[in-house]
Amino acid sequence: MESFIVLVIFIGAIVFVPRYFTFRGSNYKTASGNSFLKTLFDRGNYGEYLTFLYLEKIEGNKRLLTNLYIPRKDGTTTEIDLIMISEKGIYVFESKNYSGWIFGDEKNRNWTQTLNNRRKNYFFNPIWQNKAHINALKSVVGIDDARLYKSYIIFSERCTLKKVHVTSPEVKVLKRNDLIKAIKKDFIFSEKVLTTQQVDELYFKLRKYSCIDDAVKREHVQHIQMKR
């Protein structure tokens, strides 16, 4: 029995210690307010964290924000997973930490996840979801310039984007491991729309909507549940 306990501890150390030090070396905890355990054992948080790690590697002047609760005109809030503010624009990320096969069309309300056991799950079109995020963001930012906002739908490396149809040029749907390549390409072909000073100003303007108190989060969840 003792040898089994030692083995479990040893395996746990091999698995968790490297992840812990990677977490410590990231700014994710400061940006999100989430602890290591809250990040590791929550599928949604962990997906956002992995995307955050990729974004941290991108060179250049940029600011990252996570878990923003942006107010809507009707008094409710919309939650944005991640935002990157750079001189090339505001990149708004919707993170989907899914496995299986993904099928979807920009024009359709629902997309499909097919798992290995052939079970199918349906989820709301993430492009529409992120469009709603960006519309709320525009009101807060006070700039309604289409060049400024970039919509990125990020899926896990564990899934296969089997058949996904996108027509809008400002929208990208991709797997997490393709993220750096996609943004570097976008940086090359996009013009500067913000100055360094504006990047910082927008960061400090939006930062108050991140790491908000639990009361706002509860109200947000209650509204979603009532809507469903």
Side-chain angles (χ1 to χ4, degrees):
M1 185 65 180
E2 290 182 0
S3 60
F4 175 75
I5 294 174
V6 171
L7 179 61
V8 170
I9 294 174
F10 177 72
I11 293 174
I14 292 176
V15 173
F16 292 110
V17 170
R19 293 185 183 184
Y20 175 73
F21 282 107
T22 300
F23 181 82
R24 284 283 303 273
S26 168
N27 287 321
Y28 179 76
K29 181 179 180 180
T30 302
S32 67
N34 293 331
S35 66
F36 173 66
L37 294 179
K38 188 175 180 180
T39 300
L40 190 65
F41 293 108
D42 183 290
R43 187 178 69 173
N45 288 343
Y46 191 62
E48 292 166 11
Y49 161 66
L50 293 177
T51 300
F52 191 94
L53 289 181
Y54 276 104
L55 294 174
E56 282 189 309
K57 297 176 183 177
I58 295 173
E59 297 179 355
N61 179 40
K62 66 182 186 299
R63 293 282 199 161
L64 299 176
L65 291 162
T66 183
N67 298 125
L68 296 96
Y69 287 78
I70 304 296
R72 291 177 171 177
K73 293 180 180 179
D74 62 1
T76 63
T77 57
T78 187
E79 184 185 3
I80 300 178
D81 291 335
L82 284 162
I83 287 179
M84 181 177 73
I85 309 170
S86 78
E87 293 174 354
K88 296 301 181 77
I90 301 176
Y91 293 75
V92 183
F93 301 92
E94 175 61 28
S95 177
K96 298 296 183 186
N97 199 26
Y98 295 170
S99 58
W101 288 359
I102 305 298
F103 299 85
D105 189 298
E106 183 176 352
K107 298 178 182 179
N108 294 340
R109 179 179 178 81
N110 292 312
W111 287 21
T112 305
Q113 174 198 35
T114 302
L115 301 174
N116 291 335
N117 59 5
R118 296 188 180 181
R119 175 184 173 186
K120 292 185 178 181
N121 297 318
Y122 300 96
F123 59 99
F124 185 67
N125 185 331
I127 296 177
W128 292 12
Q129 187 177 4
N130 219 29
K131 185 176 181 180
H133 294 161
I134 291 173
N135 286 337
L137 190 62
K138 286 179 180 179
S139 297
V140 171
V141 171
I143 304 175
D144 189 8
D145 185 342
R147 299 175 305 160
L148 184 61
Y149 304 92
K150 316 289 181 82
S151 178
Y152 275 66
I153 315 301
I154 309 300
F155 282 90
S156 165
E157 300 94 328
R158 296 176 293 112
C159 79
T160 299
L161 299 178
K162 196 67 175 177
K163 190 176 181 182
V164 175
H165 188 235
V166 180
T167 55
S168 299
E170 75 281 4
V171 176
K172 301 289 187 299
V173 178
L174 63 157
K175 292 165 66 171
R176 192 179 294 119
N177 53 345
D178 295 321
L179 178 57
I180 293 180
K181 181 179 178 181
I183 290 183
K184 284 184 176 180
K185 183 178 179 180
D186 190 85
F187 275 10
I188 292 172
F189 291 101
S190 297
E191 60 181 311
K192 288 186 178 181
V193 291
L194 295 172
T195 64
T196 300
Q197 182 179 347
Q198 287 174 319
V199 169
D200 291 337
E201 288 174 352
L202 285 174
Y203 169 75
F204 288 113
K205 187 174 187 177
L206 294 174
R207 190 172 64 171
K208 65 181 180 181
Y209 300 108
S210 182
C211 295
I212 49 84
D213 59 56
D214 291 338
V216 176
K217 293 180 181 180
R218 285 195 299 268
E219 187 175 346
H220 175 79
V221 172
Q222 288 172 1
H223 171 74
I224 293 176
Q225 291 172 343
M226 290 174 61
K227 191 174 180 180
R228 288 176 179 173

